[in-house]
Amino acid sequence: MVFTETIALNTKGLCDMINITGQVAAIVTQSLITNGLVNVFCPGSTGSITTIEYESGALQDLKKALERIAPADIPYQHDERWGDGNGFSHVRAALMKPSLSVPVVSGRLTLGTWQQIVLIDFDNRARHRELVVLVTGEQ
């Protein structure tokens, strides 16, 4: 069986991190799938889905690490071509990836104790995001 739903969010951009674990868990429950896989996908080239301990220190550490890896204040070829100043956001999103898959066992997400599913919006402006949540498996 396959069940698809969306999660609509408005983000602030600039590494905005939003915990979507509850919404994804609710969709898994709604799907009635007991064993399978849930995939969360962020369309667009400046957003990412990942897992992290959704705690202010861990979130700040990730933001700082991404700034060291793909700084916002250096020249990017993307910016020269399009003039939109968000070349860094495309690089960060490519490194972090646009989707995440989590096993569903006995109708529940199999996340670690402190693990949360998080949308990160790397763009340099606010965005409206429509995440696609696809649950596959057996009832």
Side-chain angles (χ1 to χ4, degrees), residues 99-118:
S99 67
L100 173 76
S101 294
V102 177
V104 174
V105 177
S106 300
R108 299 174 55 106
L109 297 169
T110 55
L111 295 169
T113 303
W114 306 112
Q115 204 169 26
Q116 304 294 313
I117 301 171
V118 177

Side-chain angles (χ1 to χ4, degrees), residues 79-101:
D79 298 339
E80 289 186 26
R81 179 171 179 138
W82 298 104
D84 54 7
N86 71 349
F88 71 95
S89 66
H90 291 279
V91 172
R92 291 176 186 185
L95 291 169
M96 295 293 293
K97 301 300 178 196
S99 67
L100 173 76
S101 294

Side-chain angles (χ1 to χ4, degrees), residues 9-10 32 54 59 65 80 84 89 94-95 104 117 122 132 139:
L9 298 167
N10 291 312
L32 302 177
Y54 196 79
L59 299 178
E80 289 186 26
D84 54 7
S89 66
L95 291 169
V104 174
I117 301 171
F122 295 114
V132 177
Q139 288 188 321

